[in-house]
PDB file of all heavy atoms in Angstrom:
ATOM      1  N   SER A 127     129.136 118.590  88.052  1.00  0.00           N
ATOM      2  CA  SER A 127     129.463 119.477  89.171  1.00  0.00           C
ATOM      3  C   SER A 127     129.929 118.743  90.425  1.00  0.00           C
ATOM      4  O   SER A 127     129.305 118.825  91.488  1.00  0.00           O
ATOM      5  CB  SER A 127     128.265 120.376  89.495  1.00  0.00           C
ATOM      6  OG  SER A 127     127.811 121.039  88.346  1.00  0.00           O
ATOM      7  N   ALA A 128     131.053 118.047  90.331  1.00  0.00           N
ATOM      8  CA  ALA A 128     131.570 117.263  91.452  1.00  0.00           C
ATOM      9  C   ALA A 128     131.774 118.106  92.710  1.00  0.00           C
ATOM     10  O   ALA A 128     131.301 117.736  93.785  1.00  0.00           O
ATOM     11  CB  ALA A 128     132.882 116.579  91.056  1.00  0.00           C
ATOM     12  N   SER A 129     132.460 119.216  92.588  1.00  0.00           N
ATOM     13  CA  SER A 129     132.731 120.047  93.773  1.00  0.00           C
ATOM     14  C   SER A 129     131.441 120.583  94.372  1.00  0.00           C
ATOM     15  O   SER A 129     131.276 120.603  95.599  1.00  0.00           O
ATOM     16  CB  SER A 129     133.659 121.212  93.411  1.00  0.00           C
ATOM     17  OG  SER A 129     134.901 120.723  92.963  1.00  0.00           O
ATOM     18  N   LEU A 130     130.518 121.023  93.521  1.00  0.00           N
ATOM     19  CA  LEU A 130     129.242 121.523  94.010  1.00  0.00           C
ATOM     20  C   LEU A 130     128.468 120.408  94.703  1.00  0.00           C
ATOM     21  O   LEU A 130     127.906 120.606  95.779  1.00  0.00           O
ATOM     22  CB  LEU A 130     128.416 122.125  92.867  1.00  0.00           C
ATOM     23  CG  LEU A 130     127.018 122.599  93.238  1.00  0.00           C
ATOM     24  CD1 LEU A 130     127.057 123.679  94.316  1.00  0.00           C
ATOM     25  CD2 LEU A 130     126.288 123.096  91.993  1.00  0.00           C
ATOM     26  N   ASN A 131     128.417 119.222  94.116  1.00  0.00           N
ATOM     27  CA  ASN A 131     127.710 118.099  94.736  1.00  0.00           C
ATOM     28  C   ASN A 131     128.276 117.784  96.111  1.00  0.00           C
ATOM     29  O   ASN A 131     127.527 117.489  97.037  1.00  0.00           O
ATOM     30  CB  ASN A 131     127.774 116.861  93.837  1.00  0.00           C
ATOM     31  CG  ASN A 131     126.564 116.741  92.956  1.00  0.00           C
ATOM     32  OD1 ASN A 131     125.518 116.310  93.402  1.00  0.00           O
ATOM     33  ND2 ASN A 131     126.707 117.154  91.710  1.00  0.00           N
ATOM     34  N   GLN A 132     129.583 117.819  96.239  1.00  0.00           N
ATOM     35  CA  GLN A 132     130.190 117.553  97.541  1.00  0.00           C
ATOM     36  C   GLN A 132     129.739 118.590  98.561  1.00  0.00           C
ATOM     37  O   GLN A 132     129.355 118.248  99.684  1.00  0.00           O
ATOM     38  CB  GLN A 132     131.715 117.544  97.419  1.00  0.00           C
ATOM     39  CG  GLN A 132     132.232 116.359  96.651  1.00  0.00           C
ATOM     40  CD  GLN A 132     133.737 116.382  96.463  1.00  0.00           C
ATOM     41  OE1 GLN A 132     134.440 117.234  97.009  1.00  0.00           O
ATOM     42  NE2 GLN A 132     134.248 115.446  95.688  1.00  0.00           N
ATOM     43  N   ALA A 133     129.750 119.862  98.171  1.00  0.00           N
ATOM     44  CA  ALA A 133     129.337 120.934  99.081  1.00  0.00           C
ATOM     45  C   ALA A 133     127.851 120.820  99.428  1.00  0.00           C
ATOM     46  O   ALA A 133     127.460 121.011 100.590  1.00  0.00           O
ATOM     47  CB  ALA A 133     129.641 122.299  98.456  1.00  0.00           C
ATOM     48  N   LEU A 134     127.016 120.492  98.441  1.00  0.00           N
ATOM     49  CA  LEU A 134     125.583 120.345  98.685  1.00  0.00           C
ATOM     50  C   LEU A 134     125.300 119.166  99.609  1.00  0.00           C
ATOM     51  O   LEU A 134     124.466 119.259 100.513  1.00  0.00           O
ATOM     52  CB  LEU A 134     124.833 120.155  97.362  1.00  0.00           C
ATOM     53  CG  LEU A 134     124.839 121.341  96.399  1.00  0.00           C
ATOM     54  CD1 LEU A 134     124.271 120.921  95.045  1.00  0.00           C
ATOM     55  CD2 LEU A 134     124.091 122.529  96.978  1.00  0.00           C
ATOM     56  N   SER A 135     125.996 118.064  99.394  1.00  0.00           N
ATOM     57  CA  SER A 135     125.820 116.894 100.243  1.00  0.00           C
ATOM     58  C   SER A 135     126.272 117.197 101.670  1.00  0.00           C
ATOM     59  O   SER A 135     125.572 116.883 102.637  1.00  0.00           O
ATOM     60  CB  SER A 135     126.606 115.710  99.679  1.00  0.00           C
ATOM     61  OG  SER A 135     126.490 114.588 100.534  1.00  0.00           O
ATOM     62  N   ASP A 136     127.436 117.820 101.796  1.00  0.00           N
ATOM     63  CA  ASP A 136     127.951 118.152 103.124  1.00  0.00           C
ATOM     64  C   ASP A 136     127.015 119.097 103.871  1.00  0.00           C
ATOM     65  O   ASP A 136     126.926 119.056 105.098  1.00  0.00           O
ATOM     66  CB  ASP A 136     129.351 118.761 103.026  1.00  0.00           C
ATOM     67  CG  ASP A 136     130.417 117.738 102.665  1.00  0.00           C
ATOM     68  OD1 ASP A 136     130.133 116.522 102.673  1.00  0.00           O
ATOM     69  OD2 ASP A 136     131.556 118.162 102.364  1.00  0.00           O
ATOM     70  N   ALA A 137     126.289 119.953 103.126  1.00  0.00           N
ATOM     71  CA  ALA A 137     125.348 120.897 103.737  1.00  0.00           C
ATOM     72  C   ALA A 137     123.962 120.279 103.952  1.00  0.00           C
ATOM     73  O   ALA A 137     123.056 120.937 104.460  1.00  0.00           O
ATOM     74  CB  ALA A 137     125.225 122.143 102.861  1.00  0.00           C
ATOM     75  N   GLY A 138     123.783 119.021 103.545  1.00  0.00           N
ATOM     76  CA  GLY A 138     122.504 118.344 103.733  1.00  0.00           C
ATOM     77  C   GLY A 138     121.406 118.837 102.809  1.00  0.00           C
ATOM     78  O   GLY A 138     120.225 118.755 103.136  1.00  0.00           O
ATOM     79  N   LEU A 139     121.777 119.318 101.616  1.00  0.00           N
ATOM     80  CA  LEU A 139     120.792 119.894 100.704  1.00  0.00           C
ATOM     81  C   LEU A 139     120.295 118.944  99.621  1.00  0.00           C
ATOM     82  O   LEU A 139     119.299 119.222  98.969  1.00  0.00           O
ATOM     83  CB  LEU A 139     121.365 121.162 100.051  1.00  0.00           C
ATOM     84  CG  LEU A 139     121.629 122.323 101.014  1.00  0.00           C
ATOM     85  CD1 LEU A 139     122.285 123.485 100.279  1.00  0.00           C
ATOM     86  CD2 LEU A 139     120.336 122.761 101.692  1.00  0.00           C
ATOM     87  N   ILE A 140     120.969 117.831  99.396  1.00  0.00           N
ATOM     88  CA  ILE A 140     120.540 116.889  98.360  1.00  0.00           C
ATOM     89  C   ILE A 140     119.459 115.968  98.931  1.00  0.00           C
ATOM     90  O   ILE A 140     119.603 115.421 100.023  1.00  0.00           O
ATOM     91  CB  ILE A 140     121.728 116.080  97.804  1.00  0.00           C
ATOM     92  CG1 ILE A 140     122.711 117.030  97.096  1.00  0.00           C
ATOM     93  CG2 ILE A 140     121.246 114.982  96.854  1.00  0.00           C
ATOM     94  CD1 ILE A 140     123.964 116.385  96.587  1.00  0.00           C
ATOM     95  N   ASP A 141     118.376 115.821  98.177  1.00  0.00           N
ATOM     96  CA  ASP A 141     117.248 114.989  98.601  1.00  0.00           C
ATOM     97  C   ASP A 141     117.218 113.633  97.915  1.00  0.00           C
ATOM     98  O   ASP A 141     116.641 112.684  98.441  1.00  0.00           O
ATOM     99  CB  ASP A 141     115.932 115.717  98.285  1.00  0.00           C
ATOM    100  CG  ASP A 141     115.853 117.058  98.980  1.00  0.00           C
ATOM    101  OD1 ASP A 141     115.863 117.085 100.215  1.00  0.00           O
ATOM    102  OD2 ASP A 141     115.800 118.090  98.274  1.00  0.00           O
ATOM    103  N   ARG A 142     117.793 113.557  96.719  1.00  0.00           N
ATOM    104  CA  ARG A 142     117.734 112.328  95.922  1.00  0.00           C
ATOM    105  C   ARG A 142     118.964 112.250  95.026  1.00  0.00           C
ATOM    106  O   ARG A 142     119.476 113.259  94.567  1.00  0.00           O
ATOM    107  CB  ARG A 142     116.464 112.332  95.078  1.00  0.00           C
ATOM    108  CG  ARG A 142     116.341 111.142  94.127  1.00  0.00           C
ATOM    109  CD  ARG A 142     115.009 111.125  93.432  1.00  0.00           C
ATOM    110  NE  ARG A 142     114.086 110.427  94.333  1.00  0.00           N
ATOM    111  CZ  ARG A 142     112.914 109.944  93.969  1.00  0.00           C
ATOM    112  NH1 ARG A 142     112.476 110.093  92.742  1.00  0.00           N
ATOM    113  NH2 ARG A 142     112.147 109.310  94.815  1.00  0.00           N
ATOM    114  N   TYR A 143     119.401 111.017  94.756  1.00  0.00           N
ATOM    115  CA  TYR A 143     120.493 110.765  93.822  1.00  0.00           C
ATOM    116  C   TYR A 143     119.973 109.913  92.677  1.00  0.00           C
ATOM    117  O   TYR A 143     119.325 108.893  92.910  1.00  0.00           O
ATOM    118  CB  TYR A 143     121.650 110.013  94.503  1.00  0.00           C
ATOM    119  CG  TYR A 143     122.404 110.837  95.502  1.00  0.00           C
ATOM    120  CD1 TYR A 143     122.063 110.805  96.856  1.00  0.00           C
ATOM    121  CD2 TYR A 143     123.455 111.650  95.101  1.00  0.00           C
ATOM    122  CE1 TYR A 143     122.754 111.567  97.780  1.00  0.00           C
ATOM    123  CE2 TYR A 143     124.145 112.418  96.024  1.00  0.00           C
ATOM    124  CZ  TYR A 143     123.794 112.372  97.351  1.00  0.00           C
ATOM    125  OH  TYR A 143     124.480 113.139  98.261  1.00  0.00           O
ATOM    126  N   HIS A 144     120.251 110.336  91.437  1.00  0.00           N
ATOM    127  CA  HIS A 144     120.023 109.529  90.237  1.00  0.00           C
ATOM    128  C   HIS A 144     121.407 109.141  89.741  1.00  0.00           C
ATOM    129  O   HIS A 144     122.122 109.978  89.184  1.00  0.00           O
ATOM    130  CB  HIS A 144     119.329 110.343  89.145  1.00  0.00           C
ATOM    131  CG  HIS A 144     117.897 110.636  89.402  1.00  0.00           C
ATOM    132  ND1 HIS A 144     117.122 111.289  88.479  1.00  0.00           N
ATOM    133  CD2 HIS A 144     117.084 110.357  90.463  1.00  0.00           C
ATOM    134  CE1 HIS A 144     115.899 111.415  88.959  1.00  0.00           C
ATOM    135  NE2 HIS A 144     115.849 110.865  90.156  1.00  0.00           N
TER     136      HIS A 144
END
Side-chain angles (χ1 to χ4, degrees):
S127 307
S129 298
L130 176 60
N131 265 281
Q132 290 177 6
L134 294 170
S135 177
D136 288 350
L139 294 176
I140 296 176
D141 301 298
R142 176 174 274 196
Y143 290 94
H144 287 184

